[in-house]
């Protein structure tokens, strides 16, 4: 897909700091809006199998332990349209050498009254990776979404591979699969998170400094839609997690690298119409 990136470099948006993330989140890496007034989030590795529920100002209200899963490198969260299931992406792969990539499917934790949820594994490999580690470093994934009964994964390239984000597709049911390489897009940065709007009409890929919006696509052909790059204003921090709050409002988090570990709000209504153009499963 040919990018129209150069047309949008002057577009910028300001963030609003809503609060600090709780101290239990040493390195927040994924965030998922509950549909109420809170988010589920988690740590990036550290052997921490907990999901943490935080308010829209960052206050911790609940902790749920995921049984039957290992946090090797959890990187993102997503859910199905009805919030029957949560999906946890254990696919962080900075060295492009992992042979144990998983996505864990659990009951959506907001629907469970206890302190645990049990995971089932979606195990997968990439069809185009033949060396471990790979010298071509484009097999690290840190963002994914659920759409039309499938999971769509977006790579965070490194080294000489920086430029194109690849998109892979997987079934959303437990099993062992070879992912399908669907498409790629020239973002010219490194994708750290992804989300799709509640009405299924806008996909966002995030990097440390940019938001890539894709709209007016057909089906799951996200990269064939209208692309807009929005620059994130303010000091550079390591942006790690993104979630829609409404169809044109998002929250994001960053890691604590000396000036981070915050929950931020961004209003995207200048680029995403307030009135939805239609409802589709995501």
């Amino acid at each position: 897909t040919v990018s129209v990136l150069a047309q949008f470099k002057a577009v910028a948006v300001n963030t609003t700091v809503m609060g600090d993330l709780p101290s239990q989140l040493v390195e927040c890496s994924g965030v998922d809006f509950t549909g109420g007034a809170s988010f589920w989030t988690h740590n990036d590795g550290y052997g921490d199998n907990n999901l943490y529920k935080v308010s829209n100002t960052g206050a911790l209200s609940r902790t749920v332990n995921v049984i039957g899963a290992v946090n090797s490198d959890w990187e993102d969260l997503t859910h199905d349209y009805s919030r029957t299931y949560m999906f946890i992406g254990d696919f962080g792969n900075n060295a492009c050498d992992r042979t144990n990539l998983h996505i864990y499917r659990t009951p959506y934790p907001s629907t469970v009254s206890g302190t645990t949820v049990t995971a089932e594994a979606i195990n997968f490999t990439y069809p185009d990776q033949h060396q471990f580690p790979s010298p071509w470093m484009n097999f690290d994934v840190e963002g994914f979404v659920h759409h039309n009964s499938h999971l769509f994964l977006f790579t965070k390239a490194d080294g000489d591979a920086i430029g194109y984000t690849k998109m892979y597709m997987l079934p959303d049911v437990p099993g062992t699969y070879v992912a399908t390489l669907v498409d790629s897009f020239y973002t010219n940065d490194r994708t750290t998170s992804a989300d799709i709007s509640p009405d299924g009409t806008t996909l966002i890929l995030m990097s440390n400094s940019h938001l890539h919006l894709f709209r007016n696509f057909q089906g799951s052909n996200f990269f064939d839609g209208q692309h807009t790059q929005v620059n994130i204003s303010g000091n550079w921090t390591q942006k790690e997690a993104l979630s829609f709050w409404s169809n044109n409002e998002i929250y994001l988090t960053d890691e604590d690298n000396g000036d981070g570990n915050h929950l931020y709000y961004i209003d995207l209504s200048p680029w995403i119409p307030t009135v939805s153009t239609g409802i589709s499963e995501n």
Side-chain angles (χ1 to χ4, degrees):
T1 302
V2 177
S3 168
V4 288
L5 187 65
Q7 297 181 28
F8 302 105
K9 288 188 176 180
V11 180
V13 66
N14 293 315
T15 60
T16 300
V17 178
M18 302 300 294
D20 296 333
L21 293 170
S23 60
Q24 289 86 346
L25 289 160
V26 180
E27 188 177 333
C28 173
S29 193
V31 64
D32 186 72
F33 177 47
T34 63
S38 299
F39 298 90
W40 288 103
T41 184
H42 60 82
N43 272 312
D44 181 353
Y46 302 96
D48 182 359
N49 280 25
N50 290 320
L51 297 169
Y52 300 96
K53 188 178 182 181
V54 299
S55 73
N56 61 354
T57 60
L60 178 64
S61 63
R62 189 179 171 201
T63 302
V64 174
N65 186 256
V66 182
I67 297 173
V70 175
N71 188 344
S72 298
D73 196 349
W74 292 4
E75 287 291 353
D76 205 7
L77 299 173
T78 191
H79 62 268
D80 61 0
Y81 182 70
S82 62
R83 285 189 175 84
T84 301
Y85 296 109
M86 173 174 280
F87 300 88
I88 306 168
D90 185 16
F91 40 44
N93 192 16
N94 287 327
C96 294
D97 61 350
R98 285 187 63 180
T99 56
N100 61 338
L101 300 168
H102 315 288
I103 294 169
Y104 294 113
R105 190 183 80 169
T106 73
Y108 199 79
S110 297
T111 67
V112 176
S113 59
T115 58
T116 63
V117 289
T118 300
E120 300 174 282
I122 299 170
N123 308 302
F124 69 97
T125 55
Y126 297 113
D128 51 338
Q129 182 171 7
H130 308 293
Q131 294 177 264
F132 299 86
S134 171
W136 183 250
M137 301 185 72
N138 204 356
F139 299 100
D140 178 25
V141 168
E142 296 197 6
F144 74 140
V145 301
H146 184 277
H147 185 67
N148 290 341
S149 301
H150 287 83
L151 297 165
F152 294 86
L153 287 61
F154 304 94
T155 61
K156 176 186 176 184
D158 203 352
D160 293 339
I162 292 177
Y164 281 92
T165 290
K166 293 190 293 183
M167 178 172 70
Y168 294 92
M169 182 175 68
L170 285 167
D172 66 352
V173 294
T176 300
Y177 306 97
V178 178
T180 300
L181 177 57
V182 179
D183 204 349
S184 64
F185 192 87
Y186 189 74
T187 60
N188 198 31
D189 54 25
R190 307 173 71 211
T191 299
T192 59
S193 190
D195 201 17
I196 195 164
S197 60
D199 65 5
T201 64
T202 303
L203 171 77
I204 295 182
L205 304 184
M206 181 176 73
S207 70
N208 287 325
S209 304
H210 306 130
L211 300 170
H212 295 279
L213 281 60
F214 298 90
R215 302 191 65 254
N216 300 321
F217 48 79
Q218 298 296 317
S220 301
N221 297 318
F222 306 119
F223 295 159
D224 290 337
Q226 174 190 352
H227 168 244
T228 304
Q229 176 181 310
V230 178
N231 297 341
I232 303 172
S233 299
N235 295 333
W236 183 95
T237 58
Q238 189 166 329
K239 309 297 190 303
E240 280 291 324
L242 157 77
S243 181
F244 274 95
W245 174 265
S246 70
N247 289 322
N248 53 23
E249 300 168 285
I250 64 170
Y251 280 70
L252 59 91
T253 69
D254 56 6
E255 292 184 4
D256 187 3
N257 57 0
D259 184 19
N261 213 39
H262 303 309
L263 183 66
Y264 302 86
Y265 167 84
I266 296 179
D267 179 4
L268 291 173
S269 57
W271 302 279
I272 303 174
T274 300
V275 179
S276 172
T277 57
I279 302 296
S280 65
E281 181 186 352
N282 70 340

